[in-house]
Amino acid sequence: MIRLLQFILAISLLVLLHEGGHFFFSKLFGVRVEKFFIFFDLGIGKWSGKLFKFKPKKSDTEYGVGWLPLGGYCKISGMIDESFDTEQMKKPVQSWEFRSKPAWQRLLIMIGGVLVNFLLALFIYSMILFHWGDTYIASKDMTYGMKFNSEAKALGFKDGDILLGTDKRPFKDFSVDMFRDLSSATRVDLIRDGKKMSLPLPGEISLLDMLKAEPSFARPFIPAVVDTVLPNTPAAKYGLAKGDTIKAINGKAVDSQNEVTFELGVLEDMMTSAKTPADSMRIRTATFVIAKAGAPGTQHLDTIQTVLTPELRFGFAPKALNQMYKSTHVDYGFLESFPAGIKYGVAVLKGYVDDMKYVFTADGAKSLGGFGAIGSLFPASWDWYLFWKMTAFLSIILAFMNILPIPALDGGHVLFLLYEMVTRRKPSENFMIKAEYVGFGILILLMVVANLNDILRWLGYM
C-alpha cells in the first residue's frame, strides 16, 4: 500500500507538471485550452469517467481528475490529439486555435511538457544533493573486493578483485554505471592480492546479460559471517551467534554470503517442483557446517541438520555493506548543488538512452515492465530521499519517452512540426488523424506487453 501511494503521488505530480508545461506555453501564445486533466476520463456508458471537475467563471478551461491513471492531457483547441476531435477541425480557423499560430510557437507548446519534466528532474536531483548530500561506498574502498560469476571469471576476473575503473573513467561506487562502463571498456584496472593490475576486456559485453545473470556478473564480496540472529528462527534455536561462519550448505562448500544466498536460491527453485507436503519438508531440511566464533586456531566445526522456515530462511544476517566499509559523504551548498544536480541528471539520461538499444532484442522486450514493475521500485516504507530520487528518475523517463518521434506522443507532433518548418508545408489533417491512430495503437501495444510481462513475472513464468 505504501508503494502504491508513493507511485500514485509521484505519477500525479509528474503528469500535473508535464501537462502544465503544455498549458503554460498555450496560454503564453493565446491558445485556448479546453480541458486540463490528470489521468484520463474515459467514459463508460453514461458515466463521464470524471472523478472530479470544475470550471472557473470566465474561463475556457475545464479542470479535473479522471479515473484511468495512464497519464493526463491538455485538450488544446485546433489540433489533432488523442481526443480525435475532428469536428472542430472542419470549422474555420480561429485566432485562439493552435493551428492558427506560427510553427515555432506550436513547437514550444508541444515540447513544453518534456521541457518541464527534464528541468524538474534536474531541480529534484539538485535539491536532493543540497538537503542530503551524496553518501556512497567507493568501489576502491570495498576491501573484500567482488564476487564474480563464471562469465566474468572467463574474462580473467578473480573473486576478491577490487575494481578501480576502466579506460573510460574511475569507478565511483557499485552501481549500474559500473556495469555500463565494464560492458563497453577495453581495459579494467583493479587491485589483486594487494597489487594494482589491468585486464583487457572485449569492449562489447551485453549489459543486459550482465545484469540478469544469476549469479550476477559481479557483486560485492560479503563474508558468510553472522552479524545478527533473528529470533524464533532455526538459527536462534540452534544457538547461532555473532561471529559464527557458514562453511557449507547441503555438502557444498561456501566461501561467502553470496554463495549462501545462491544455495538457498537453489532450494527455492526446487520448491517450485514440490507436489506434496513431504516434498516441501524434504527440501526445507538442510544441513549446515558452521565454524563457531573463537580466537584464530581455536574454531571448531559443527554440522547441524535443521528445517528452514517456509520462506527457506535459516534466520541470520551478515553485516550490511555500510557496516563493513567506510562511506564517503559529500555535502553541497545551495549554489553548488545545481551544477552537481545537472551533471547527475544528464548522466542518468545518458545511461537510460544508451540502455534503450536493448529494448529491441528478445531479452530486452521481456525486461520491459509496466505499472507493477515501476511501483515496485519504490521502497516498502516511506522514505522521502528514495521517493524524490525515484520521482526524478521517472521524470527523466517521462521526458525521454514523450519526445520519441511516435505519433500520439509529443515527439510525433514535434517531428511533423519540424517537417513543416523545413518544407514550409503542413501535413494534411487526414494524414495527421491516421498517424495519431497508428501512434495510439503502438502505445497501447507497448503498454499491453509491459504489463503482461509484470503479470507473467508475478505468476513465475518469467
Side-chain angles (χ1 to χ4, degrees):
M1 182 58 69
I2 291 176
R3 281 195 174 105
L4 177 62
L5 289 173
Q6 291 179 90
F7 173 67
I8 292 175
L9 178 59
I11 290 298
S12 299
L13 176 65
L14 296 181
V15 169
L16 174 66
L17 293 177
H18 177 91
E19 300 304 332
H22 295 307
F23 185 88
F24 171 79
F25 282 106
S26 295
K27 289 296 185 180
L28 181 65
F29 300 129
V31 175
R32 182 178 296 175
V33 177
E34 298 175 18
K35 295 176 72 174
F36 184 97
F37 265 68
I38 300 176
F39 304 153
F40 293 123
D41 58 333
L42 182 65
I44 301 175
K46 294 183 179 179
W47 184 48
S48 67
K50 299 176 175 66
L51 298 179
F52 169 78
K53 66 175 182 177
F54 76 98
K55 188 173 183 179
K57 291 182 180 180
K58 299 181 180 180
S59 173
D60 297 313
T61 308
E62 177 185 68
Y63 301 88
V65 178
W67 69 274
L68 190 60
L70 301 182
Y73 69 100
C74 276
K75 187 178 185 308
I76 299 172
S77 295
M79 71 170 288
I80 301 294
D81 61 9
E82 60 269 24
S83 68
F84 298 104
D85 185 2
T86 57
E87 292 303 315
Q88 186 183 59
M89 304 301 290
K90 296 176 183 178
K91 299 176 182 178
V93 178
Q94 302 296 323
S95 61
W96 37 261
E97 287 186 322
F98 177 84
R99 55 182 170 166
S100 71
K101 302 301 178 181
W104 69 270
Q105 291 185 3
R106 285 180 279 139
L107 181 64
L108 285 175
I109 290 172
M110 293 317 305
I111 67 173
V114 168
L115 182 63
V116 167
N117 277 134
F118 184 61
L119 293 178
L120 174 66
L122 299 183
F123 178 75
I124 292 175
Y125 282 132
S126 298
M127 291 302 95
I128 287 174
L129 292 175
F130 171 63
H131 188 271
W132 285 286
D134 188 15
T135 301
Y136 59 94
I137 300 172
S139 60
K140 64 182 179 60
D141 292 330
M142 293 184 174
T143 52
Y144 282 107
M146 295 287 161
K147 183 79 174 173
F148 299 92
N149 67 8
S150 57
E151 288 79 10
K153 289 177 180 177
L155 294 172
F157 291 100
K158 289 186 177 181
D159 290 341
D161 285 349
I162 301 171
L163 301 182
L164 302 177
T166 66
D167 50 305
K168 296 177 174 295
R169 57 182 174 178
F171 293 135
K172 177 185 175 184
D173 55 5
F174 179 76
S175 66
V176 69
D177 289 333
M178 171 184 285
F179 289 98
R180 284 196 185 100
D181 286 355
L182 287 171
S183 69
S184 58
T186 57
R187 186 195 80 239
V188 59
D189 302 320
L190 52 87
I191 296 176
R192 179 178 296 171
D193 300 326
K195 297 180 180 178
K196 287 187 177 181
M197 59 173 293
S198 297
L199 286 178
L201 291 178
E204 293 183 0
I205 305 174
S206 170
L207 175 62
L208 196 60
D209 288 344
M210 294 171 78
L211 295 176
K212 76 185 184 81
E214 187 56 45
S216 60
F217 186 88
R219 63 271 191 215
F221 191 105
I222 302 174
V225 178
V226 176
D227 182 65
T228 305
V229 179
L230 305 179
N232 303 316
T233 62
K237 293 175 183 176
Y238 157 70
L240 199 69
K242 184 173 183 176
D244 292 349
T245 304
I246 310 301
K247 291 293 187 179
I249 301 176
N250 290 339
K252 294 185 178 180
V254 294
D255 64 1
S256 63
Q257 179 63 26
N258 310 80
E259 292 194 1
V260 170
T261 302
F262 178 77
E263 293 302 327
L264 293 177
V266 171
L267 297 183
E268 289 182 3
D269 293 340
M270 292 171 61
M271 191 64 81
T272 60
S273 62
K275 297 180 180 178
T276 66
D279 291 339
S280 299
M281 186 58 67
R282 176 178 52 80
I283 295 169
R284 287 174 56 194
T285 303
T287 302
F288 289 79
V289 176
I290 299 167
K292 297 298 293 178
T298 65
Q299 287 183 329
H300 68 276
L301 300 180
D302 280 353
T303 299
I304 66 165
Q305 190 176 72
T306 187
V307 178
L308 303 175
T309 67
E311 298 79 25
L312 297 175
R313 299 292 179 261
F314 188 26
F316 77 94
K319 282 186 177 181
L321 288 179
N322 59 3
Q323 295 175 310
M324 293 171 54
Y325 306 117
K326 75 170 186 177
S327 296
T328 299
H329 180 81
V330 181
D331 284 317
Y332 292 89
F334 183 73
L335 295 179
E336 292 175 314
S337 68
F338 286 99
I342 292 170
K343 181 179 178 181
Y344 186 90
V346 170
V348 171
L349 176 62
K350 183 179 182 301
Y352 185 76
V353 173
D354 288 345
D355 296 346
M356 282 297 293
K357 62 177 177 285
Y358 295 105
V359 172
F360 303 102
T361 66
D363 287 338
K366 292 178 182 178
S367 70
L368 287 174
F371 298 113
I374 296 172
S376 67
L377 296 175
F378 288 92
S381 58
W382 201 286
D383 185 315
W384 282 112
Y385 170 77
L386 295 177
F387 169 81
W388 286 116
K389 196 169 184 180
M390 190 63 210
T391 300
F393 179 60
L394 290 179
S395 194
I396 280 183
I397 292 177
L398 189 60
F400 176 73
M401 295 302 292
N402 266 282
I403 205 62
L404 291 176
I406 299 175
L409 290 178
D410 297 341
H413 292 284
V414 168
L415 178 65
F416 296 137
L417 280 167
L418 291 176
Y419 168 82
E420 178 186 340
M421 294 171 75
V422 171
T423 64
R424 305 293 180 180
R425 291 185 301 171
K426 285 186 179 182
S428 69
E429 289 180 5
N430 185 48
F431 171 81
M432 294 292 288
I433 292 170
K434 290 180 178 178
E436 196 78 10
Y437 275 115
V438 170
F440 206 70
I442 292 172
L443 295 181
I444 293 296
L445 178 62
L446 288 173
M447 197 171 298
V448 169
V449 170
N451 286 284
L452 181 60
N453 284 349
D454 284 353
I455 294 172
L456 293 175
R457 277 190 283 266
W458 180 66
L459 293 174
Y461 290 106
M462 289 182 64

